[in-house]
Amino acid sequence: MNGIVVPATLARLPWRVLLLVLAIGSFGLVVLYSAAGGSVRPWVLPQGIRFGVFLVGSVVLSRVPTEFWKKYAFWIYGLFLVLLVLVEMLGAVRGGSQRWLGFGPIRIQPSEMMKLAIVLAMARFYEMLPAAETRRFQAIWPACVLIGLPAAFVMLQPDLGTGLMICAGGATVMFLAGIPLRLFIGGAVGAALAIPLAVNYVLHDYQRHRVLIFMDPESDPLGTGYHISQSKIAIGSGGLFGKGFLNGTQSHLDYLPEGHTDFVFATMAEEWGLMGGAFLIIAFLLVIRWGVNVGVRAEDRFAKLAAAGLATTIFFYMAINLMMVMGLAPVVGIPLPLVSFGGSAQMTVLISLGILMGIDRSTGKRPRW
């Protein structure tokens, strides 16, 4: 019997990773179905369509060679920096924040794509820089400008969470490029000393309240601290195996605000318990580990830095959201990608996956788990 011939293009795809991503996205649709009270509207149908389109798009992006991203990294960065400026001038206001640009029926959030653009631009900058110059001042101040410009525009929207993720993505590439650890320690100490000033003079009132509530959630349990308190109740009440599909009370009785977006993990944990949470965390960590291995095995400095930076960007999404819903970090509006309702974070993560698959293909070495 003749065997089935699989096209080489399909055979070279990292199918285990794609199946993991498909499992995460499908589980997210199940959670949204329950959050909607057992209905595909208003969240499951648009989320599923977007997920399918973006997943196919990531496979298409895997055919783009690494040289393309290297050649146009600064152009991509510049494009989204211009779009961030246009957001300040022409952006649509939703929920008190000015973060979106409208092009007919299409709305885009440039700050989300800047999380990828900053990684590519920083990787390109340090790839161009001779290794001997990495520990000198000229290796630091241009990188700080590259990070600071978009972060400042995003903070003006205001969007504290995305601004912090842009800074974290850029700082990760700096660290991996070889910037001395003592500078990061000094920066962390300086940031810690500046927190009181930022809380009192830089953050908006609602952001300041979120930070203060994080320090003492019980000080306003029915006001600003309501989200965190209800999220903890939902997660804790799920126990080991959860209350069962469609049996959650916190979300179905509307005690849990934003149970389909920022706090979707709490909605899931109430019905699926610790086992459901462990599945999501392990699945994400396996995808992130694969991405880091792509960077480790890459032969080009740009590819190494870009792959590691993109993998850690996905990690920051997951880690910040989980810390946020468990009360371990202030509520900063970071969704759980592929699970929370919304297209921006979903698109960012799947584009990252496409670029990582392209680096994997260009390297010619298949990373193991």
Side-chain angles (χ1 to χ4, degrees):
M1 183 187 300
N2 293 330
I4 299 175
V5 178
V6 179
T9 301
L10 295 178
R12 286 186 58 81
L13 290 173
W15 283 106
R16 284 185 292 182
V17 174
L18 287 174
L19 290 174
L20 267 178
V21 171
L22 182 62
I24 295 171
S26 300
F27 190 35
L29 295 178
V30 171
V31 175
L32 292 178
Y33 179 83
S34 177
S39 173
V40 297
R41 295 183 181 276
W43 303 316
V44 176
L45 187 60
Q47 180 84 347
I49 293 173
R50 283 194 298 258
F51 178 69
V53 171
F54 293 147
L55 185 60
V56 172
S58 70
V59 174
V60 173
L61 278 178
S62 71
R63 301 296 300 167
V64 178
T66 307
E67 290 299 320
F68 173 87
W69 304 111
K70 181 192 298 188
K71 181 177 180 180
Y72 294 105
F74 289 133
W75 289 98
I76 295 171
Y77 171 88
L79 170 64
F80 286 105
L81 185 61
V82 170
L83 290 178
L84 285 176
V85 175
L86 291 178
V87 167
E88 289 299 311
M89 301 169 58
L90 309 171
V93 178
R94 295 171 59 186
S97 299
Q98 190 173 10
R99 304 175 186 174
W100 292 268
L101 281 178
F103 299 95
I106 301 175
R107 291 184 180 274
I108 65 170
Q109 189 176 349
S111 58
E112 278 290 333
M113 293 303 299
M114 181 53 77
K115 296 172 184 175
L116 305 184
I118 189 65
V119 169
L120 296 176
M122 295 287 289
R124 177 58 172 155
F125 171 72
Y126 284 110
E127 190 266 343
M128 296 171 58
L129 195 70
E133 303 293 323
T134 305
R135 293 179 173 271
R136 297 184 179 179
F137 184 66
Q138 55 264 36
I140 300 172
W141 74 262
C144 292
V145 172
L146 285 173
I147 297 171
L149 283 175
F153 280 111
V154 170
M155 292 293 289
L156 289 174
Q157 293 179 356
D159 190 347
L160 175 62
T162 300
L164 291 176
M165 279 197 64
I166 290 172
C167 294
T172 298
V173 178
M174 291 179 68
F175 175 75
L176 296 174
I179 298 299
L181 180 61
R182 65 177 182 275
L183 296 180
F184 290 94
I185 296 175
V189 172
L193 295 176
I195 286 177
L197 294 176
V199 169
N200 290 303
Y201 301 107
V202 177
L203 299 183
H204 291 254
D205 288 341
Y206 79 94
Q207 294 172 331
R208 185 181 305 114
H209 290 156
R210 286 178 175 179
V211 173
L212 295 177
I213 286 298
F214 164 67
M215 304 295 290
D216 184 13
E218 305 305 323
S219 62
D220 189 12
L222 298 180
T224 310
Y226 184 77
H227 291 67
I228 297 177
S229 298
Q230 294 301 319
S231 177
K232 289 180 178 179
I233 292 172
I235 294 173
S237 64
L240 183 60
F241 297 105
K243 296 178 179 178
F245 183 53
L246 296 176
N247 290 327
T249 55
Q250 296 299 112
S251 57
H252 291 170
L253 297 178
D254 293 331
Y255 286 107
L256 180 64
E258 306 299 332
H260 64 293
T261 53
D262 293 352
F263 290 86
V264 72
F265 184 85
T267 300
M268 181 280 305
E270 184 182 20
E271 296 189 353
W272 297 87
L274 178 63
M275 301 306 295
F279 163 75
L280 276 181
I281 293 172
I282 292 172
F284 270 114
L285 290 178
L286 287 174
V287 173
I288 293 165
R289 181 187 175 188
W290 169 81
V292 171
N293 282 339
V294 169
V296 169
R297 294 173 181 267
E299 299 168 349
D300 177 75
R301 181 170 171 79
F302 170 82
K304 286 179 177 292
L305 294 175
L310 294 174
T312 51
T313 296
I314 300 174
F315 170 78
F316 287 139
Y317 265 115
M318 180 196 72
I320 293 175
N321 179 268
L322 295 186
M323 292 174 65
M324 186 178 74
V325 301
M326 295 178 188
L328 301 177
V331 178
V332 291
I334 298 296
L336 185 62
L338 308 180
V339 182
S340 295
F341 177 75
S344 297
Q346 188 182 71
M347 178 178 65
T348 303
V349 168
L350 289 176
I351 289 176
S352 298
L353 180 67
I355 297 174
L356 284 168
M357 288 191 294
I359 295 173
D360 176 25
R361 186 181 63 85
S362 299
T363 300
K365 295 180 180 179
R366 178 54 44 86
R368 301 168 62 187
W369 281 108

